[in-house]
Amino acid sequence: MIQLKNVSKYYYSKGMIASGISKVNLTLDTGEFVVITGESGSGKSTLLNVISGLDSYEDGEMYINGEETSHYLAADFEEYRKRYIGNIFQNFNLVNSYTVYQNVELILLINGYRRAEIKRRIEDILERVGLSEFASTKVSKLSGGQKQRVSIARALAKDTEIIVADEPTGNLDSESAEGIAKLLSEISRDKLVIVVTHNFDQFKPYATRRIKMHDGRIAEDDGDRKPASDAPVEIKVREAGRSEIVTGNISGMSRIRLGIRNTFNIMHKFLLLLMVFVFVVIAVTSEYTTFNYQKEEMDKLGWNDYFWNYSENRIVLKKSDGSQFRDADYKAISNVKNIKSTAPNDILLDRSIYLEDDNISYEAYPRTAEEFDGKLVMGRMPQTRNEVILTGYKDDYYFSEQVMSDIINKEYTIYFDDGRETKVRIVGLAYKDTEENGYMYSGDIYMTSDMVRELRKGVYNAASSISITINGKTQSGETGYYSIAVNKNVDEGEACVPEDVNNYFSNGRAQGEDIKITARNIFYKKSVTLDMADIYTDKNFESLTGYKDFESHYGTIFISQKDYDALFRKGNYQVSVYVSDVRMMDQTLAALENMGYVTLPLKDMLVNGADGITEIIQVPIAVIIVLALFFIAYFVIRLILKSRAGYFSILRMLGLARKNIRRIMDIEMVTVTNIAYLIFLGLVVMVKEHVVHGRYVNYIDTMIEYMNISDYVVLYIVLIVMALLISGKFARSLFKKTALGSFREED
């Protein structure tokens, strides 16, 4: 039935390799009562675990009824254990919170027995092992000998061809041990029984074969041994016509029964889980209603957390096909009735920049000089690339008459979104005449079109997700630390990269190889492929780049200005227009939409905040908070579920497939979630009907004020999804190890 040829098993720990068994050759057949002995660490338990499929092996081949098993995956060994192996463990590995009946029933449910047949089989088996009167007793209340008999009953109920027992009498008194040895002998008449023990004398009267292990090898094998005792062994005859071995799968109803049973089986665990899920229900509901509340309050205040320039006569446009705006588009838009002006560089309208020197730090919003239609109070219009006009409010400190005289015609540093900086000279100053929509914000800085294009490149860089591909391996911007910067020492088509890129190549040399840089944002995706001409280290960094500060620049990929422009020097994908008469906004919107533009009037964002950019900003935040709640709940629930990891490991050792264990976990999590949700709904009803009173009632009442029927449905779906994700994540962590390894860790 079982044959091992040169089978070896190794264990790996902290870089050390230890041999469990080595070059074992063995043949085992039905009808044998095989006793494996040896000192501690001799490999006897390892051999038993390999034979029973609880542990894998590295070398050699194990045959089951002539079939090779070296290609078996975890699922194959689970099926093998389910079909062939009945386990009896030294520590019993029973579900202590189950009754004797439920422990034996468990193996039959796993193997797909029908409910009517289960009852008959369990009654017969419990009578056979002398436990009929304890059928309704929880295992935790039994003696050691009784627990071992339950373990044997479970193995018998499975009715497999092989019974393996690891130190089945190790924790028992001599009388109980004698009874267990005799019972195993009875079983071996039509099965293969394999026992590992330190005490051969207990099994000597019944054993047909003794195998002695030493240093992971078979030191002695008396394969033809007969029982030493001549006394007849009593064998209880089974009923005629007993069913054949069942190898079916657990039914859906059995999964539901086990899932619901596990939900309530350990009451303190259930109550802890319920408390966590009630917290999650209330927290998710609170976040959702807070979202609605904040949106309503923002609408009342006329405030928007994305647009800083939210004039009621501003309309944001994009082309329906997502392409860039061209001169023809600007011309067509300017001809639309009621359009007062066009702001091509819309992406800069809501981004501020800073002018700084030793005496000033001023925030302003960039505009092109062509957009300036005010009146200068000091200075002149820009004439060269780095000249700018600065505007601000009269009561601003920097726009007092004395200070203006100090700041005009001086150079200041401005900083780009991608970390670059440049010098500009303020050549003109003007007052802002009005506050936009009653909200005070900083002034404007009017600059040449060339300077605006440079700013836009920085915005595209900062707003883009940068991914780097080297030697077929891609590192995304979300997980990597590489950044892109221009360096005048780098030629077009080349890149100067940090030395750690050498790790992408087996020969440790990246120089001369290609690097692909991809910039992706909401507007476009663009890639360039460059030659890694130079590799910088702390020793050659200054000579290659001209910079001295190696530490702050490490991780930067330096490219040429032309290649940088290829990635980021893009046109406008979004444009703003300003209408002359807000009362004609609807007609203007209709005209623009008929021309193929997608429109977003900012005045509507201030009225309801339910559509457009507000949700684009707030929904991801809400999702992040929900995800944070998910992970908090997961880590707390995982601590609770770890008390059940031993149970799920037992299911694996009994041969239940991974997907079925996952379904049982799902049912347990969903059941607790449903109860928590019903408690929440009951609380909602009591609050609405004024049945309950207290300090927190007003808070709950405020929450449900922002909920409608569809919101309750969405909330329920979110909670169920969270429960299934938590279940799945825990299942994946459980199945990272073998069944035995997982059980040992939890044990």
Side-chain angles (χ1 to χ4, degrees):
M1 178 171 290
I2 295 178
Q3 184 178 16
L4 281 71
K5 288 187 177 181
N6 294 320
V7 171
S8 298
K9 167 67 183 176
Y10 306 106
Y11 293 102
Y12 305 88
S13 177
K14 298 180 180 178
M16 302 294 291
I17 300 176
S19 176
I21 57 175
S22 178
K23 303 295 182 182
V24 171
N25 290 281
L26 186 63
T27 301
L28 302 169
D29 294 314
T30 303
E32 289 191 287
F33 187 166
V34 182
V35 179
I36 303 174
T37 65
E39 67 273 13
S40 296
S42 62
K44 56 186 185 298
S45 292
T46 301
L47 176 60
L48 192 71
N49 291 334
V50 169
I51 290 172
S52 62
L54 287 174
D55 245 340
S56 58
Y57 60 94
E58 279 72 40
D59 291 335
E61 186 64 76
M62 182 171 75
Y63 299 87
I64 306 297
N65 285 334
E67 180 184 350
E68 295 179 352
T69 62
S70 57
H71 63 282
Y72 274 18
L73 302 174
D76 299 313
F77 277 114
E78 286 167 359
E79 181 63 25
Y80 161 61
R81 290 196 300 273
K82 184 172 74 171
R83 179 171 182 177
Y84 287 102
I85 303 296
N87 287 96
I88 302 170
F89 302 94
Q90 176 182 4
N91 294 323
F92 319 125
N93 290 359
L94 301 170
V95 183
N96 287 323
S97 58
Y98 278 14
T99 65
V100 170
Y101 184 97
Q102 289 171 335
N103 268 278
V104 181
E105 179 192 39
L106 180 62
I107 194 66
L108 297 175
L109 292 174
I110 289 174
N111 283 272
Y113 279 84
R114 294 184 298 275
R115 192 167 184 179
E117 188 177 8
I118 287 175
K119 188 174 186 299
R120 178 183 62 80
R121 288 184 64 81
I122 294 177
E123 289 174 352
D124 291 344
I125 290 165
L126 291 183
E127 181 180 356
R128 186 178 181 194
V129 298
L131 291 174
S132 295
E133 61 182 298
F134 298 99
S136 300
T137 304
K138 283 200 172 184
V139 166
S140 59
K141 297 182 179 179
L142 299 179
S143 67
Q146 290 169 330
K147 288 181 180 180
Q148 196 60 282
R149 286 181 175 270
V150 177
S151 182
I152 293 172
R154 184 176 63 187
L156 289 175
K158 195 174 181 182
D159 203 8
T160 55
E161 300 175 58
I162 305 169
I163 302 292
V164 296
D166 189 1
E167 296 284 1
T169 60
N171 294 324
L172 307 181
D173 58 68
S174 58
E175 183 179 350
S176 298
E178 171 66 21
I180 295 301
K182 186 176 180 180
L183 184 57
L184 289 173
S185 176
E186 295 175 15
I187 297 169
S188 69
R189 297 304 180 181
D190 60 351
K191 298 181 184 295
L192 168 61
V193 176
I194 309 169
V195 174
V196 162
T197 183
H198 279 92
N199 191 349
F200 177 68
D201 290 339
Q202 289 179 338
F203 295 92
K204 186 175 181 180
Y206 312 106
T208 63
R209 183 175 179 183
R210 180 186 183 184
I211 296 173
K212 190 172 182 180
M213 299 291 295
H214 179 70
D215 286 342
R217 296 176 180 270
I218 295 177
E220 184 181 328
D221 182 358
D222 54 349
D224 296 324
R225 190 182 187 283
K226 300 299 180 183
S229 174
D230 293 329
V233 178
E234 179 185 0
I235 302 175
K236 296 185 179 179
V237 181
R238 296 192 181 98
E239 288 184 30
R242 69 176 177 84
S243 63
E244 295 297 321
I245 296 173
V246 175
T247 59
N249 291 320
I250 185 172
S251 67
M253 283 304 301
S254 293
R255 289 198 299 258
I256 293 173
R257 285 179 62 193
L258 290 176
I260 294 176
R261 177 185 294 172
N262 293 337
T263 301
F264 304 102
N265 203 43
I266 303 176
M267 188 52 61
H268 68 271
K269 181 215 68 172
F270 163 70
L271 293 175
L272 285 173
L273 283 175
L274 185 61
M275 289 172 59
V276 173
F277 275 102
V278 168
F279 164 76
V280 170
V281 172
I282 294 176
V284 172
T285 306
S286 177
E287 167 56 27
Y288 177 78
T289 54
T290 299
F291 170 84
N292 286 343
Y293 172 78
Q294 289 178 343
K295 183 171 61 176
E296 182 177 289
E297 289 303 306
M298 283 192 297
D299 289 345
K300 291 177 181 177
L301 295 173
W303 182 78
N304 185 292
D305 64 356
Y306 182 84
F307 292 104
W308 285 87
N309 181 352
Y310 44 81
S311 171
E312 65 176 2
N313 64 344
R314 178 184 173 190
I315 306 172
V316 180
L317 303 178
K318 71 173 185 178
K319 298 177 73 171
S320 56
D321 61 1
S323 61
Q324 297 183 43
F325 282 81
R326 307 294 182 185
D327 290 340
D329 295 305
Y330 300 137
K331 184 176 181 180
I333 291 170
S334 64
N335 290 330
V336 174
K337 187 178 180 180
N338 198 38
I339 296 295
K340 177 183 178 182
S341 62
T342 302
N345 296 288
D346 173 274
I347 194 171
L348 299 175
L349 287 179
D350 304 290
R351 289 178 178 268
S352 62
I353 60 175
Y354 286 88
L355 291 88
E356 291 188 0
D357 71 357
D358 294 337
N359 300 314
I360 184 175
S361 177
Y362 193 79
E363 180 184 23
Y365 290 82
R367 303 286 186 268
T368 60
E370 291 79 6
E371 294 178 70
F372 180 73
D373 58 359
K375 181 179 180 181
L376 292 173
V377 294
M378 190 176 292
R380 57 176 174 79
M381 292 294 291
Q383 296 175 354
T384 62
R385 180 180 182 277
N386 285 52
E387 293 182 343
V388 300
I389 298 171
L390 193 64
T391 68
Y393 296 98
K394 288 184 178 181
D395 56 358
D396 191 312
Y397 166 77
Y398 292 113
F399 280 81
S400 63
E401 188 172 336
Q402 180 179 355
V403 176
M404 283 195 297
S405 300
D406 292 336
I407 65 176
I408 197 168
N409 293 320
K410 291 183 179 178
E411 282 193 344
Y412 302 91
T413 302
I414 63 171
Y415 297 93
F416 295 82
D417 278 15
D418 57 358
R420 293 177 298 141
E421 59 185 64
T422 190
K423 297 288 186 180
V424 296
R425 179 180 295 276
I426 298 176
V427 296
L429 295 166
Y431 294 129
K432 291 181 68 67
D433 294 329
T434 60
E435 299 175 5
E436 297 212 343
N437 224 31
Y439 181 77
M440 174 73 75
Y441 71 105
S442 300
D444 297 319
I445 178 170
Y446 292 88
M447 53 184 63
T448 62
S449 297
D450 284 345
M451 183 64 72
V452 169
R453 280 193 290 270
E454 286 299 308
L455 279 175
R456 193 167 61 219
K457 284 191 295 185
V459 172
Y460 283 139
N461 186 344
S464 295
S465 171
I466 306 296
S467 61
I468 306 298
T469 303
I470 303 173
N471 197 23
K473 302 178 182 68
T474 299
Q475 185 185 76
S476 67
E478 290 80 3
T479 59
Y481 65 93
Y482 292 123
S483 60
I484 309 300
V486 173
N487 190 277
K488 63 182 180 180
N489 295 339
V490 180
D491 293 333
E492 182 181 0
E494 296 182 350
C496 181
V497 298
E499 61 181 331
D500 63 5
V501 300
N502 289 322
N503 297 328
Y504 285 86
F505 298 90
S506 58
N507 62 1
R509 182 175 175 81
Q511 192 167 20
E513 301 289 346
D514 286 346
I515 180 172
K516 182 180 179 182
I517 304 172
T518 301
R520 182 185 290 105
N521 54 52
I522 61 173
F523 299 120
Y524 68 85
K525 174 184 175 182
K526 177 65 179 178
S527 299
V528 295
T529 300
L530 308 173
D531 173 41
M532 290 186 284
D534 292 305
I535 310 294
Y536 67 79
T537 66
D538 58 342
K539 294 180 176 58
N540 65 1
F541 180 72
E542 184 174 357
S543 63
L544 288 176
T545 66
Y547 297 125
K548 293 183 179 180
D549 189 355
F550 171 77
E551 294 295 333
S552 64
H553 287 88
Y554 193 77
T556 302
I557 295 174
F558 296 101
I559 64 177
S560 70
Q561 183 68 58
K562 286 189 177 180
D563 291 322
Y564 185 91
D565 289 347
L567 286 170
F568 304 115
R569 187 168 184 171
K570 302 297 181 182
N572 295 306
Y573 293 85
Q574 189 170 287
V575 168
S576 281
V577 295
Y578 295 88
V579 299
S580 300
D581 189 347
V582 177
R583 292 172 298 179
M584 296 179 59
M585 179 70 77
D586 290 342
Q587 296 92 313
T588 307
L589 293 174
L592 291 169
E593 289 166 2
N594 287 335
M595 295 169 65
Y597 300 110
V598 180
T599 62
L600 179 67
L602 293 193
K603 77 176 186 66
D604 290 347
M605 298 300 295
L606 303 178
V607 171
N608 53 49
D611 302 315
I613 301 301
T614 299
E615 287 190 353
I616 292 175
I617 296 300
Q618 288 188 324
V619 168
I621 294 174
V623 170
I624 290 171
I625 293 174
V626 171
L627 288 175
L629 285 171
F630 164 77
F631 282 107
I632 292 171
Y634 168 70
F635 286 117
V636 175
I637 290 171
R638 184 183 180 188
L639 292 175
I640 300 171
L641 289 179
K642 284 191 76 172
S643 65
R644 302 292 290 162
Y647 168 78
F648 292 117
S649 298
I650 290 172
L651 293 184
R652 292 181 66 191
M653 288 188 281
L654 296 178
L656 189 61
R658 173 177 181 167
K659 65 178 181 180
N660 290 317
I661 294 177
R662 167 70 192 277
R663 295 296 170 264
I664 292 172
M665 289 185 184
D666 289 345
I667 292 165
E668 186 173 349
M669 290 295 98
V670 168
T671 300
V672 177
T673 303
N674 281 324
I675 295 172
Y677 190 67
L678 288 174
I679 291 174
F680 171 72
L681 291 182
L683 185 60
V684 168
V685 171
M686 288 189 290
V687 169
K688 284 188 173 182
E689 298 297 325
H690 306 290
V691 175
V692 294
H693 305 277
R695 58 185 299 185
Y696 297 111
V697 170
N698 290 337
Y699 174 73
I700 296 173
D701 195 33
T702 302
M703 278 203 314
I704 62 181
E705 180 183 344
Y706 294 91
M707 300 277 288
N708 54 44
I709 297 298
S710 62
D711 294 327
Y712 286 106
V713 173
V714 171
L715 174 63
Y716 178 74
I717 293 172
V718 169
L719 293 170
I720 293 297
V721 170
M722 286 182 67
L724 294 176
L725 288 174
I726 290 171
S727 172
K729 191 169 177 62
F730 181 74
R732 285 192 295 274
S733 67
L734 185 69
F735 280 89
K736 285 181 179 178
K737 302 177 180 64
T738 63
L740 190 61
S742 179
F743 184 82
R744 283 170 176 165
E745 181 179 276
E746 299 306 325
D747 193 48

